[in-house]
Amino acid sequence: MISSNPARHAESLIGELGILSANEIDVEAIAFDSGVEVLYEALDGCEATLVGFGSKAIATVRPSSSRGRERFSVAHEIGHWLLHRGKSFQCRADDIVQNYSADIRLEKEADEFASHLLMPTSIFQPAIKAANRPGLNDLQDISEQFEVSMQAVSIRLATLDTLPIIVACYTKAGLKWSIRASHVPRRWWLRNQLDDDSFAYDVLYAGKPCNRLGKQPAETWFENDDADQYEVLEQSIPSSNGQVLILLYLNDPEMFEVGFDPNLKLGALSKKR
Amino acid sequence: MSDTGKSDDLAMFLQTQLEELLEMTDKDILEGTNPKDLTSENLAMITAAKAEAGRRRMFAAKAGMVVGKAFAISTMPQVSVAEARAFIESAMNDNHYTLAARTLGEMSDVDILRVYHQLHQLKSKSESPDNDKQ
């Protein structure tokens, strides 16, 4: 079953265990099957740690009020155990997004493993398809079904690459992170600060709810000079720690056909997003 | 910890059956039966058997978790933080051990002792004669 591809490795394990639905993904039992005992204890500076010897390991996970967060931590440590056995490395950081954006190969691999273990394509894709063009309310339902956080389900949706979406997270200080489906052109450059016409701005600054996807001029979201020619769909919800989570649909086919934007600043293109 | 031996045997059996099935010529397959139908029926049987084996593996894991908690080791050797730190440092350079934790310099004394005790517990279990039975 050994595979160098974390996603394939996780999905193969799900298949081997005969798991066919989201509620069968008992992450502690999967850990045990893989030789990992899971303990929940207070930790200082780490979301979780893993200690292993021979073919057995102990994963210690910091208790959290978010069950999704705990499950992701357990799945992440299973990933380390199956992918990185016999190595010593720094523990998982406190913040899932910090890991996602960090240039730490082992952490990214374990996160990718965890994402596919908790949301295997064979089960996750039909759930997304059933929601047709899911908004954040639908993703909330799906996150409860899979017992994962909204961040985890949003990132997984983008990596699934079946819908023309960008998921982003802003604070009052500006863009914190974003991820787009692979087929969404990189030429569309998100603004660093929230536009005051965006629904996200109302959510963040006025606490005004945004209950469904709504049309927005693309220039509200993108720096590109030609963005005023297109429309996008936006939905935004408040997230933890003064953040707002945004789902954008690029549903105008022409946004995929337009070529390279020569007016984009070269500096912007060299930034990592 | 799990029922891996039985699962491996079953997986090997299923794999062998699948390979034999795929290598069979149409003539080898029962006369009067549509070979394509027979192959798909057998593949469906194999898929169902694999799913059942997986479910049993999960059931065994859930049962094992309960037993594992009931027999958890409660007594640990008393060591100083310095001794524990030295042990962990050595373990970090030994590929028999796996360690995802803060760097030694960042770990609190509580972390150091917890990691030491966990490593010790795992090592003791692996050296226990009962280990093979698990």
PDB file of all heavy atoms in Angstrom, chain A residues 16-17 32-33 41 43-44 49-54 60 86-91, chain B residues 1 54 57 61-62 64 95-102 106 114 118-119 122 126:
ATOM      1  N   GLU A  16      -9.260   0.254   1.540  1.00  0.00           N
ATOM      2  CA  GLU A  16      -8.920  -1.010   2.214  1.00  0.00           C
ATOM      3  C   GLU A  16      -9.809  -1.272   3.416  1.00  0.00           C
ATOM      4  O   GLU A  16     -10.100  -2.418   3.742  1.00  0.00           O
ATOM      5  CB  GLU A  16      -7.475  -0.955   2.722  1.00  0.00           C
ATOM      6  CG  GLU A  16      -6.435  -1.235   1.681  1.00  0.00           C
ATOM      7  CD  GLU A  16      -5.053  -1.117   2.290  1.00  0.00           C
ATOM      8  OE1 GLU A  16      -4.903  -1.362   3.494  1.00  0.00           O
ATOM      9  OE2 GLU A  16      -4.127  -0.758   1.555  1.00  0.00           O
ATOM     10  N   LEU A  17     -10.215  -0.202   4.082  1.00  0.00           N
ATOM     11  CA  LEU A  17     -11.030  -0.350   5.294  1.00  0.00           C
ATOM     12  C   LEU A  17     -12.520  -0.446   4.983  1.00  0.00           C
ATOM     13  O   LEU A  17     -13.345  -0.502   5.890  1.00  0.00           O
ATOM     14  CB  LEU A  17     -10.750   0.819   6.254  1.00  0.00           C
ATOM     15  CG  LEU A  17      -9.324   0.838   6.828  1.00  0.00           C
ATOM     16  CD1 LEU A  17      -9.064   2.116   7.600  1.00  0.00           C
ATOM     17  CD2 LEU A  17      -9.080  -0.374   7.717  1.00  0.00           C
ATOM     18  N   PHE A  32      -5.645   3.542  15.170  1.00  0.00           N
ATOM     19  CA  PHE A  32      -5.320   2.294  15.864  1.00  0.00           C
ATOM     20  C   PHE A  32      -4.927   1.208  14.865  1.00  0.00           C
ATOM     21  O   PHE A  32      -3.956   0.483  15.062  1.00  0.00           O
ATOM     22  CB  PHE A  32      -6.520   1.835  16.700  1.00  0.00           C
ATOM     23  CG  PHE A  32      -6.200   0.711  17.627  1.00  0.00           C
ATOM     24  CD1 PHE A  32      -5.731   0.960  18.908  1.00  0.00           C
ATOM     25  CD2 PHE A  32      -6.341  -0.601  17.219  1.00  0.00           C
ATOM     26  CE1 PHE A  32      -5.409  -0.084  19.762  1.00  0.00           C
ATOM     27  CE2 PHE A  32      -6.027  -1.653  18.061  1.00  0.00           C
ATOM     28  CZ  PHE A  32      -5.563  -1.396  19.342  1.00  0.00           C
ATOM     29  N   ASP A  33      -5.691   1.116  13.784  1.00  0.00           N
ATOM     30  CA  ASP A  33      -5.391   0.127  12.740  1.00  0.00           C
ATOM     31  C   ASP A  33      -3.991   0.358  12.162  1.00  0.00           C
ATOM     32  O   ASP A  33      -3.316  -0.582  11.751  1.00  0.00           O
ATOM     33  CB  ASP A  33      -6.440   0.224  11.628  1.00  0.00           C
ATOM     34  CG  ASP A  33      -6.151  -0.726  10.486  1.00  0.00           C
ATOM     35  OD1 ASP A  33      -6.443  -1.925  10.630  1.00  0.00           O
ATOM     36  OD2 ASP A  33      -5.605  -0.270   9.457  1.00  0.00           O
ATOM     37  N   GLU A  41      -4.302  15.557  25.303  1.00  0.00           N
ATOM     38  CA  GLU A  41      -3.676  16.208  26.462  1.00  0.00           C
ATOM     39  C   GLU A  41      -3.319  17.643  26.098  1.00  0.00           C
ATOM     40  O   GLU A  41      -3.051  17.940  24.927  1.00  0.00           O
ATOM     41  CB  GLU A  41      -2.385  15.475  26.859  1.00  0.00           C
ATOM     42  CG  GLU A  41      -2.614  14.162  27.585  1.00  0.00           C
ATOM     43  CD  GLU A  41      -1.301  13.450  27.921  1.00  0.00           C
ATOM     44  OE1 GLU A  41      -0.243  14.108  27.917  1.00  0.00           O
ATOM     45  OE2 GLU A  41      -1.353  12.233  28.157  1.00  0.00           O
ATOM     46  N   LEU A  43      -1.134  20.680  25.323  1.00  0.00           N
ATOM     47  CA  LEU A  43       0.210  20.780  24.735  1.00  0.00           C
ATOM     48  C   LEU A  43       0.620  22.235  24.676  1.00  0.00           C
ATOM     49  O   LEU A  43      -0.230  23.119  24.521  1.00  0.00           O
ATOM     50  CB  LEU A  43       0.223  20.181  23.326  1.00  0.00           C
ATOM     51  CG  LEU A  43       0.058  18.672  23.208  1.00  0.00           C
ATOM     52  CD1 LEU A  43      -0.090  18.280  21.744  1.00  0.00           C
ATOM     53  CD2 LEU A  43       1.252  17.944  23.810  1.00  0.00           C
ATOM     54  N   ASP A  44       1.908  22.445  24.733  1.00  0.00           N
ATOM     55  CA  ASP A  44       2.427  23.806  24.735  1.00  0.00           C
ATOM     56  C   ASP A  44       3.057  24.122  23.370  1.00  0.00           C
ATOM     57  O   ASP A  44       4.106  23.587  23.040  1.00  0.00           O
ATOM     58  CB  ASP A  44       3.468  23.917  25.857  1.00  0.00           C
ATOM     59  CG  ASP A  44       3.966  25.332  26.013  1.00  0.00           C
ATOM     60  OD1 ASP A  44       3.291  26.253  25.527  1.00  0.00           O
ATOM     61  OD2 ASP A  44       5.045  25.517  26.597  1.00  0.00           O
ATOM     62  N   THR A  49       1.485  16.128  18.699  1.00  0.00           N
ATOM     63  CA  THR A  49       2.834  15.559  18.579  1.00  0.00           C
ATOM     64  C   THR A  49       2.708  14.081  18.255  1.00  0.00           C
ATOM     65  O   THR A  49       1.665  13.461  18.498  1.00  0.00           O
ATOM     66  CB  THR A  49       3.639  15.701  19.894  1.00  0.00           C
ATOM     67  OG1 THR A  49       2.974  14.958  20.922  1.00  0.00           O
ATOM     68  CG2 THR A  49       3.791  17.142  20.312  1.00  0.00           C
ATOM     69  N   LEU A  50       3.777  13.523  17.734  1.00  0.00           N
ATOM     70  CA  LEU A  50       3.801  12.096  17.417  1.00  0.00           C
ATOM     71  C   LEU A  50       5.117  11.519  17.920  1.00  0.00           C
ATOM     72  O   LEU A  50       6.190  12.069  17.657  1.00  0.00           O
ATOM     73  CB  LEU A  50       3.701  11.888  15.896  1.00  0.00           C
ATOM     74  CG  LEU A  50       3.710  10.431  15.447  1.00  0.00           C
ATOM     75  CD1 LEU A  50       2.366   9.763  15.724  1.00  0.00           C
ATOM     76  CD2 LEU A  50       4.029  10.330  13.953  1.00  0.00           C
ATOM     77  N   VAL A  51       4.998  10.407  18.641  1.00  0.00           N
ATOM     78  CA  VAL A  51       6.176   9.717  19.154  1.00  0.00           C
ATOM     79  C   VAL A  51       6.035   8.269  18.719  1.00  0.00           C
ATOM     80  O   VAL A  51       4.992   7.659  18.947  1.00  0.00           O
ATOM     81  CB  VAL A  51       6.202   9.819  20.699  1.00  0.00           C
ATOM     82  CG1 VAL A  51       7.197   8.852  21.291  1.00  0.00           C
ATOM     83  CG2 VAL A  51       6.514  11.246  21.135  1.00  0.00           C
ATOM     84  N   GLY A  52       7.041   7.726  18.050  1.00  0.00           N
ATOM     85  CA  GLY A  52       6.928   6.359  17.568  1.00  0.00           C
ATOM     86  C   GLY A  52       8.180   5.554  17.808  1.00  0.00           C
ATOM     87  O   GLY A  52       9.288   6.109  17.857  1.00  0.00           O
ATOM     88  N   PHE A  53       7.986   4.257  17.974  1.00  0.00           N
ATOM     89  CA  PHE A  53       9.122   3.340  18.061  1.00  0.00           C
ATOM     90  C   PHE A  53       8.722   2.050  17.367  1.00  0.00           C
ATOM     91  O   PHE A  53       7.665   1.488  17.662  1.00  0.00           O
ATOM     92  CB  PHE A  53       9.516   3.062  19.515  1.00  0.00           C
ATOM     93  CG  PHE A  53      10.663   2.097  19.630  1.00  0.00           C
ATOM     94  CD1 PHE A  53      11.979   2.522  19.397  1.00  0.00           C
ATOM     95  CD2 PHE A  53      10.451   0.761  19.937  1.00  0.00           C
ATOM     96  CE1 PHE A  53      13.040   1.633  19.478  1.00  0.00           C
ATOM     97  CE2 PHE A  53      11.516  -0.136  20.015  1.00  0.00           C
ATOM     98  CZ  PHE A  53      12.816   0.306  19.787  1.00  0.00           C
ATOM     99  N   GLY A  54       9.582   1.566  16.486  1.00  0.00           N
ATOM    100  CA  GLY A  54       9.243   0.344  15.766  1.00  0.00           C
ATOM    101  C   GLY A  54       7.968   0.537  14.968  1.00  0.00           C
ATOM    102  O   GLY A  54       7.876   1.457  14.166  1.00  0.00           O
ATOM    103  N   THR A  60      -0.309  12.585  20.415  1.00  0.00           N
ATOM    104  CA  THR A  60      -0.928  13.382  21.479  1.00  0.00           C
ATOM    105  C   THR A  60      -1.518  14.629  20.834  1.00  0.00           C
ATOM    106  O   THR A  60      -0.811  15.364  20.140  1.00  0.00           O
ATOM    107  CB  THR A  60       0.114  13.776  22.543  1.00  0.00           C
ATOM    108  OG1 THR A  60       0.808  12.595  22.952  1.00  0.00           O
ATOM    109  CG2 THR A  60      -0.555  14.412  23.747  1.00  0.00           C
ATOM    110  N   GLY A  86      10.372   6.940  11.103  1.00  0.00           N
ATOM    111  CA  GLY A  86      11.825   6.872  11.281  1.00  0.00           C
ATOM    112  C   GLY A  86      12.500   8.231  11.177  1.00  0.00           C
ATOM    113  O   GLY A  86      13.719   8.323  11.215  1.00  0.00           O
ATOM    114  N   LYS A  87      11.693   9.276  11.052  1.00  0.00           N
ATOM    115  CA  LYS A  87      12.270  10.623  10.958  1.00  0.00           C
ATOM    116  C   LYS A  87      11.906  11.440  12.209  1.00  0.00           C
ATOM    117  O   LYS A  87      10.935  11.139  12.887  1.00  0.00           O
ATOM    118  CB  LYS A  87      11.728  11.355   9.724  1.00  0.00           C
ATOM    119  CG  LYS A  87      12.176  10.728   8.423  1.00  0.00           C
ATOM    120  CD  LYS A  87      11.592  11.463   7.241  1.00  0.00           C
ATOM    121  CE  LYS A  87      12.040  10.796   5.943  1.00  0.00           C
ATOM    122  NZ  LYS A  87      11.338  11.306   4.773  1.00  0.00           N
ATOM    123  N   SER A  88      12.694  12.468  12.446  1.00  0.00           N
ATOM    124  CA  SER A  88      12.377  13.408  13.528  1.00  0.00           C
ATOM    125  C   SER A  88      12.235  14.792  12.919  1.00  0.00           C
ATOM    126  O   SER A  88      13.071  15.210  12.111  1.00  0.00           O
ATOM    127  CB  SER A  88      13.490  13.412  14.575  1.00  0.00           C
ATOM    128  OG  SER A  88      13.465  12.202  15.275  1.00  0.00           O
ATOM    129  N   PHE A  89      11.183  15.467  13.289  1.00  0.00           N
ATOM    130  CA  PHE A  89      10.923  16.785  12.693  1.00  0.00           C
ATOM    131  C   PHE A  89      10.053  17.592  13.627  1.00  0.00           C
ATOM    132  O   PHE A  89       9.532  17.065  14.618  1.00  0.00           O
ATOM    133  CB  PHE A  89      10.243  16.636  11.321  1.00  0.00           C
ATOM    134  CG  PHE A  89       9.172  15.598  11.291  1.00  0.00           C
ATOM    135  CD1 PHE A  89       7.865  15.922  11.561  1.00  0.00           C
ATOM    136  CD2 PHE A  89       9.483  14.266  11.013  1.00  0.00           C
ATOM    137  CE1 PHE A  89       6.877  14.953  11.560  1.00  0.00           C
ATOM    138  CE2 PHE A  89       8.491  13.291  11.012  1.00  0.00           C
ATOM    139  CZ  PHE A  89       7.192  13.631  11.275  1.00  0.00           C
ATOM    140  N   GLN A  90       9.881  18.867  13.289  1.00  0.00           N
ATOM    141  CA  GLN A  90       9.093  19.741  14.172  1.00  0.00           C
ATOM    142  C   GLN A  90       7.615  19.418  14.096  1.00  0.00           C
ATOM    143  O   GLN A  90       7.104  19.042  13.027  1.00  0.00           O
ATOM    144  CB  GLN A  90       9.320  21.195  13.790  1.00  0.00           C
ATOM    145  CG  GLN A  90      10.387  21.840  14.662  1.00  0.00           C
ATOM    146  CD  GLN A  90      10.322  23.337  14.578  1.00  0.00           C
ATOM    147  OE1 GLN A  90      10.675  23.896  13.552  1.00  0.00           O
ATOM    148  NE2 GLN A  90       9.893  23.973  15.641  1.00  0.00           N
ATOM    149  N   CYS A  91       6.945  19.585  15.225  1.00  0.00           N
ATOM    150  CA  CYS A  91       5.528  19.231  15.300  1.00  0.00           C
ATOM    151  C   CYS A  91       4.674  20.192  14.490  1.00  0.00           C
ATOM    152  O   CYS A  91       5.119  21.254  14.071  1.00  0.00           O
ATOM    153  CB  CYS A  91       5.047  19.248  16.739  1.00  0.00           C
ATOM    154  SG  CYS A  91       5.167  20.861  17.510  1.00  0.00           S
TER     155      CYS A  91
ATOM    156  N   MET B   1      -1.726  -4.645  17.522  1.00  0.00           N
ATOM    157  CA  MET B   1      -2.850  -3.789  17.827  1.00  0.00           C
ATOM    158  C   MET B   1      -4.067  -4.158  16.981  1.00  0.00           C
ATOM    159  O   MET B   1      -5.188  -3.999  17.367  1.00  0.00           O
ATOM    160  CB  MET B   1      -2.505  -2.325  17.532  1.00  0.00           C
ATOM    161  CG  MET B   1      -2.006  -1.591  18.702  1.00  0.00           C
ATOM    162  SD  MET B   1      -1.508   0.039  18.141  1.00  0.00           S
ATOM    163  CE  MET B   1      -1.537   0.944  19.646  1.00  0.00           C
ATOM    164  N   GLY B  54     -12.490  -5.115   5.016  1.00  0.00           N
ATOM    165  CA  GLY B  54     -12.179  -3.781   5.545  1.00  0.00           C
ATOM    166  C   GLY B  54     -13.024  -3.454   6.752  1.00  0.00           C
ATOM    167  O   GLY B  54     -12.522  -2.947   7.756  1.00  0.00           O
ATOM    168  N   ARG B  57     -11.805  -5.224   9.666  1.00  0.00           N
ATOM    169  CA  ARG B  57     -10.563  -4.597  10.154  1.00  0.00           C
ATOM    170  C   ARG B  57     -10.902  -3.386  11.036  1.00  0.00           C
ATOM    171  O   ARG B  57     -10.299  -3.190  12.080  1.00  0.00           O
ATOM    172  CB  ARG B  57      -9.729  -4.172   8.936  1.00  0.00           C
ATOM    173  CG  ARG B  57      -8.260  -4.081   9.197  1.00  0.00           C
ATOM    174  CD  ARG B  57      -7.541  -3.943   7.887  1.00  0.00           C
ATOM    175  NE  ARG B  57      -6.646  -2.808   7.894  1.00  0.00           N
ATOM    176  CZ  ARG B  57      -5.983  -2.373   6.839  1.00  0.00           C
ATOM    177  NH1 ARG B  57      -6.113  -2.999   5.682  1.00  0.00           N
ATOM    178  NH2 ARG B  57      -5.173  -1.341   6.931  1.00  0.00           N
ATOM    179  N   ALA B  61     -10.238  -2.877  14.996  1.00  0.00           N
ATOM    180  CA  ALA B  61      -9.534  -1.693  15.504  1.00  0.00           C
ATOM    181  C   ALA B  61     -10.320  -1.048  16.642  1.00  0.00           C
ATOM    182  O   ALA B  61      -9.751  -0.683  17.675  1.00  0.00           O
ATOM    183  CB  ALA B  61      -9.313  -0.688  14.375  1.00  0.00           C
ATOM    184  N   LYS B  62     -11.639  -0.951  16.467  1.00  0.00           N
ATOM    185  CA  LYS B  62     -12.468  -0.335  17.515  1.00  0.00           C
ATOM    186  C   LYS B  62     -12.427  -1.174  18.793  1.00  0.00           C
ATOM    187  O   LYS B  62     -12.328  -0.634  19.900  1.00  0.00           O
ATOM    188  CB  LYS B  62     -13.910  -0.187  17.023  1.00  0.00           C
ATOM    189  CG  LYS B  62     -14.066   0.928  16.010  1.00  0.00           C
ATOM    190  CD  LYS B  62     -15.474   0.971  15.437  1.00  0.00           C
ATOM    191  CE  LYS B  62     -15.549   1.941  14.285  1.00  0.00           C
ATOM    192  NZ  LYS B  62     -16.843   1.942  13.610  1.00  0.00           N
ATOM    193  N   GLY B  64      -9.999  -3.223  19.609  1.00  0.00           N
ATOM    194  CA  GLY B  64      -8.625  -3.127  20.118  1.00  0.00           C
ATOM    195  C   GLY B  64      -8.389  -1.856  20.901  1.00  0.00           C
ATOM    196  O   GLY B  64      -7.646  -1.838  21.884  1.00  0.00           O
ATOM    197  N   ASN B  95      16.897   6.098  13.651  1.00  0.00           N
ATOM    198  CA  ASN B  95      15.720   5.936  12.789  1.00  0.00           C
ATOM    199  C   ASN B  95      14.760   4.824  13.226  1.00  0.00           C
ATOM    200  O   ASN B  95      13.799   4.533  12.541  1.00  0.00           O
ATOM    201  CB  ASN B  95      16.119   5.783  11.321  1.00  0.00           C
ATOM    202  CG  ASN B  95      16.941   4.549  11.073  1.00  0.00           C
ATOM    203  OD1 ASN B  95      17.057   3.698  11.944  1.00  0.00           O
ATOM    204  ND2 ASN B  95      17.527   4.459   9.890  1.00  0.00           N
ATOM    205  N   HIS B  96      15.023   4.228  14.405  1.00  0.00           N
ATOM    206  CA  HIS B  96      14.002   3.338  14.980  1.00  0.00           C
ATOM    207  C   HIS B  96      12.880   4.162  15.617  1.00  0.00           C
ATOM    208  O   HIS B  96      11.799   3.660  15.884  1.00  0.00           O
ATOM    209  CB  HIS B  96      14.615   2.424  16.051  1.00  0.00           C
ATOM    210  CG  HIS B  96      15.545   1.402  15.484  1.00  0.00           C
ATOM    211  ND1 HIS B  96      16.909   1.554  15.458  1.00  0.00           N
ATOM    212  CD2 HIS B  96      15.298   0.221  14.874  1.00  0.00           C
ATOM    213  CE1 HIS B  96      17.458   0.512  14.882  1.00  0.00           C
ATOM    214  NE2 HIS B  96      16.502  -0.319  14.506  1.00  0.00           N
ATOM    215  N   TYR B  97      13.204   5.405  15.883  1.00  0.00           N
ATOM    216  CA  TYR B  97      12.237   6.298  16.534  1.00  0.00           C
ATOM    217  C   TYR B  97      11.668   7.288  15.515  1.00  0.00           C
ATOM    218  O   TYR B  97      12.358   7.697  14.583  1.00  0.00           O
ATOM    219  CB  TYR B  97      12.900   7.112  17.644  1.00  0.00           C
ATOM    220  CG  TYR B  97      13.367   6.278  18.820  1.00  0.00           C
ATOM    221  CD1 TYR B  97      14.656   5.771  18.873  1.00  0.00           C
ATOM    222  CD2 TYR B  97      12.505   6.012  19.883  1.00  0.00           C
ATOM    223  CE1 TYR B  97      15.084   5.008  19.948  1.00  0.00           C
ATOM    224  CE2 TYR B  97      12.923   5.251  20.969  1.00  0.00           C
ATOM    225  CZ  TYR B  97      14.216   4.748  20.993  1.00  0.00           C
ATOM    226  OH  TYR B  97      14.627   3.994  22.056  1.00  0.00           O
ATOM    227  N   THR B  98      10.436   7.662  15.756  1.00  0.00           N
ATOM    228  CA  THR B  98       9.805   8.735  14.977  1.00  0.00           C
ATOM    229  C   THR B  98       9.382   9.812  15.972  1.00  0.00           C
ATOM    230  O   THR B  98       8.791   9.480  17.003  1.00  0.00           O
ATOM    231  CB  THR B  98       8.558   8.213  14.226  1.00  0.00           C
ATOM    232  OG1 THR B  98       8.936   7.097  13.431  1.00  0.00           O
ATOM    233  CG2 THR B  98       7.954   9.293  13.341  1.00  0.00           C
ATOM    234  N   LEU B  99       9.689  11.024  15.646  1.00  0.00           N
ATOM    235  CA  LEU B  99       9.386  12.094  16.604  1.00  0.00           C
ATOM    236  C   LEU B  99       8.958  13.362  15.877  1.00  0.00           C
ATOM    237  O   LEU B  99       9.726  13.935  15.110  1.00  0.00           O
ATOM    238  CB  LEU B  99      10.648  12.362  17.428  1.00  0.00           C
ATOM    239  CG  LEU B  99      10.470  13.067  18.759  1.00  0.00           C
ATOM    240  CD1 LEU B  99       9.509  12.329  19.665  1.00  0.00           C
ATOM    241  CD2 LEU B  99      11.827  13.187  19.452  1.00  0.00           C
ATOM    242  N   ALA B 100       7.716  13.753  16.108  1.00  0.00           N
ATOM    243  CA  ALA B 100       7.237  15.045  15.618  1.00  0.00           C
ATOM    244  C   ALA B 100       6.873  15.850  16.847  1.00  0.00           C
ATOM    245  O   ALA B 100       5.837  15.635  17.461  1.00  0.00           O
ATOM    246  CB  ALA B 100       6.026  14.867  14.720  1.00  0.00           C
ATOM    247  N   ALA B 101       7.758  16.726  17.247  1.00  0.00           N
ATOM    248  CA  ALA B 101       7.553  17.512  18.470  1.00  0.00           C
ATOM    249  C   ALA B 101       8.260  18.849  18.288  1.00  0.00           C
ATOM    250  O   ALA B 101       8.837  19.104  17.229  1.00  0.00           O
ATOM    251  CB  ALA B 101       8.120  16.763  19.668  1.00  0.00           C
ATOM    252  N   ARG B 102       8.201  19.673  19.305  1.00  0.00           N
ATOM    253  CA  ARG B 102       8.960  20.921  19.226  1.00  0.00           C
ATOM    254  C   ARG B 102      10.442  20.575  19.288  1.00  0.00           C
ATOM    255  O   ARG B 102      10.821  19.474  19.698  1.00  0.00           O
ATOM    256  CB  ARG B 102       8.596  21.832  20.397  1.00  0.00           C
ATOM    257  CG  ARG B 102       7.123  22.131  20.474  1.00  0.00           C
ATOM    258  CD  ARG B 102       6.834  23.212  21.468  1.00  0.00           C
ATOM    259  NE  ARG B 102       7.024  24.533  20.863  1.00  0.00           N
ATOM    260  CZ  ARG B 102       6.919  25.674  21.530  1.00  0.00           C
ATOM    261  NH1 ARG B 102       6.676  25.667  22.807  1.00  0.00           N
ATOM    262  NH2 ARG B 102       7.069  26.819  20.922  1.00  0.00           N
ATOM    263  N   GLU B 106      13.031  24.154  22.627  1.00  0.00           N
ATOM    264  CA  GLU B 106      11.747  24.825  22.871  1.00  0.00           C
ATOM    265  C   GLU B 106      10.852  24.059  23.845  1.00  0.00           C
ATOM    266  O   GLU B 106       9.865  24.587  24.323  1.00  0.00           O
ATOM    267  CB  GLU B 106      10.969  24.947  21.553  1.00  0.00           C
ATOM    268  CG  GLU B 106      11.572  25.922  20.557  1.00  0.00           C
ATOM    269  CD  GLU B 106      10.816  25.891  19.235  1.00  0.00           C
ATOM    270  OE1 GLU B 106      10.331  24.808  18.837  1.00  0.00           O
ATOM    271  OE2 GLU B 106      10.704  26.943  18.613  1.00  0.00           O
ATOM    272  N   ARG B 114       6.981  13.996  29.191  1.00  0.00           N
ATOM    273  CA  ARG B 114       5.896  13.293  28.501  1.00  0.00           C
ATOM    274  C   ARG B 114       6.427  12.510  27.301  1.00  0.00           C
ATOM    275  O   ARG B 114       6.136  11.325  27.139  1.00  0.00           O
ATOM    276  CB  ARG B 114       4.816  14.286  28.040  1.00  0.00           C
ATOM    277  CG  ARG B 114       3.654  13.629  27.308  1.00  0.00           C
ATOM    278  CD  ARG B 114       2.589  14.637  26.893  1.00  0.00           C
ATOM    279  NE  ARG B 114       3.149  15.787  26.202  1.00  0.00           N
ATOM    280  CZ  ARG B 114       3.551  15.781  24.934  1.00  0.00           C
ATOM    281  NH1 ARG B 114       3.446  14.682  24.221  1.00  0.00           N
ATOM    282  NH2 ARG B 114       4.067  16.860  24.394  1.00  0.00           N
ATOM    283  N   GLN B 118       6.493   8.471  26.853  1.00  0.00           N
ATOM    284  CA  GLN B 118       5.826   7.823  25.711  1.00  0.00           C
ATOM    285  C   GLN B 118       6.808   6.935  24.943  1.00  0.00           C
ATOM    286  O   GLN B 118       6.468   5.822  24.546  1.00  0.00           O
ATOM    287  CB  GLN B 118       5.218   8.889  24.792  1.00  0.00           C
ATOM    288  CG  GLN B 118       3.994   9.567  25.413  1.00  0.00           C
ATOM    289  CD  GLN B 118       3.313  10.566  24.488  1.00  0.00           C
ATOM    290  OE1 GLN B 118       3.906  11.004  23.503  1.00  0.00           O
ATOM    291  NE2 GLN B 118       2.091  10.947  24.813  1.00  0.00           N
ATOM    292  N   LEU B 119       8.014   7.444  24.741  1.00  0.00           N
ATOM    293  CA  LEU B 119       9.029   6.637  24.044  1.00  0.00           C
ATOM    294  C   LEU B 119       9.335   5.374  24.845  1.00  0.00           C
ATOM    295  O   LEU B 119       9.448   4.279  24.288  1.00  0.00           O
ATOM    296  CB  LEU B 119      10.313   7.454  23.852  1.00  0.00           C
ATOM    297  CG  LEU B 119      10.273   8.545  22.780  1.00  0.00           C
ATOM    298  CD1 LEU B 119      11.536   9.393  22.824  1.00  0.00           C
ATOM    299  CD2 LEU B 119      10.121   7.936  21.388  1.00  0.00           C
ATOM    300  N   LEU B 122       6.479   2.853  24.548  1.00  0.00           N
ATOM    301  CA  LEU B 122       6.474   2.159  23.252  1.00  0.00           C
ATOM    302  C   LEU B 122       7.596   1.133  23.173  1.00  0.00           C
ATOM    303  O   LEU B 122       7.416   0.025  22.673  1.00  0.00           O
ATOM    304  CB  LEU B 122       6.619   3.181  22.114  1.00  0.00           C
ATOM    305  CG  LEU B 122       5.407   4.089  21.872  1.00  0.00           C
ATOM    306  CD1 LEU B 122       5.785   5.251  20.973  1.00  0.00           C
ATOM    307  CD2 LEU B 122       4.259   3.291  21.256  1.00  0.00           C
ATOM    308  N   SER B 126       7.233  -2.930  22.816  1.00  0.00           N
ATOM    309  CA  SER B 126       7.805  -3.662  21.675  1.00  0.00           C
ATOM    310  C   SER B 126       8.723  -4.775  22.148  1.00  0.00           C
ATOM    311  O   SER B 126       8.897  -5.771  21.456  1.00  0.00           O
ATOM    312  CB  SER B 126       8.556  -2.701  20.756  1.00  0.00           C
ATOM    313  OG  SER B 126       9.825  -2.422  21.276  1.00  0.00           O
TER     314      SER B 126
END
